[in-house]
Amino acid sequence: WSRRLANAPAVVDHLAKRFGRENVAYMKHSDRRSGCELAAALAAARVVVTPHGFNAYFVTMMALNSTLVEVYPAGYTFPDIPILARRFGVKHKHLLSTPMDWTQAGRLVSAWATKARATSMLARTWLRSYDVAADLDALDRATAGVRLPRTSNKARGDNSSS
């Protein structure tokens, strides 16, 4: 499956207003990006917002004290990633998406797949097939303690002299 963050453009704009456009980058899976490029981008990131899934293992390449914000499908959590994040010195926050599919089947799955039932393989399979959306207010709460390091113009690649 390839779950997406359905409101990624809104998340990028929201974070850019908060942290500055120059401090926010949008990346999605690309077969053209090398593992080294991905590792360098993750090591430089202070906050990574991602749908729950394999991307959560990005914590293995993230800098100490950076923050991973995972967006879980409604009614689903997965306890292993916070444990892994702590071991790598990464702060882990999670948001629950609102259900993205309001068809009859989507409502049924969302109602059935409560936290307790999300451990069943059938519920997990259904939940994994849905895209997720980050609630921007919840994202603000999850990233409330994030402070960007101060950098000089030279560190940002501006070699002009004043």
Side-chain angles (χ1 to χ4, degrees):
W1 289 281
S2 185
R3 185 180 303 126
R4 296 176 313 117
L5 186 58
N7 65 336
V11 168
V12 169
D13 288 344
H14 186 77
L15 291 174
K17 286 176 190 163
R18 216 165 137 219
F19 296 118
R21 178 68 61 189
E22 68 280 3
N23 293 312
V24 177
Y26 175 66
M27 291 176 61
K28 62 182 187 175
H29 175 74
S30 171
D31 291 334
R32 294 188 191 119
R33 184 180 302 112
S34 73
C36 292
E37 290 171 312
L38 177 62
L42 290 167
R46 299 292 300 150
V47 177
V48 173
V49 180
T50 183
H52 169 70
F54 180 77
N55 295 346
Y57 290 95
F58 286 164
V59 298
T60 62
M61 295 177 259
M62 292 174 65
L64 286 173
N65 297 314
S66 57
T67 302
L68 174 71
V69 180
E70 264 190 293
V71 184
Y72 288 92
Y76 180 77
T77 57
F78 193 74
D80 293 352
I81 303 306
I83 295 166
L84 181 66
R86 275 194 305 276
R87 295 214 171 140
F88 279 88
V90 173
K91 297 171 193 133
H92 180 273
K93 306 290 183 176
H94 74 274
L95 309 179
L96 290 180
S97 176
T98 54
M100 297 296 297
D101 179 358
W102 288 106
T103 64
Q104 187 63 29
R107 284 194 298 268
L108 246 159
V109 169
S110 295
W112 177 67
T114 61
K115 202 178 213 181
R117 298 236 168 124
T119 57
S120 87
M121 189 49 112
L122 183 57
R124 289 174 68 188
T125 299
W126 276 340
L127 287 169
R128 287 177 178 164
S129 66
Y130 290 97
D131 289 341
V132 294
D135 176 274
L136 300 181
D137 291 331
L139 182 60
D140 281 345
R141 290 188 297 276
T143 58
V146 172
R147 300 287 177 261
L148 297 180
R150 297 187 185 274
T151 57
S152 69
N153 286 342
K154 288 190 186 269
R156 288 192 300 256
D158 181 0
N159 295 319
S160 61
S161 44
S162 12

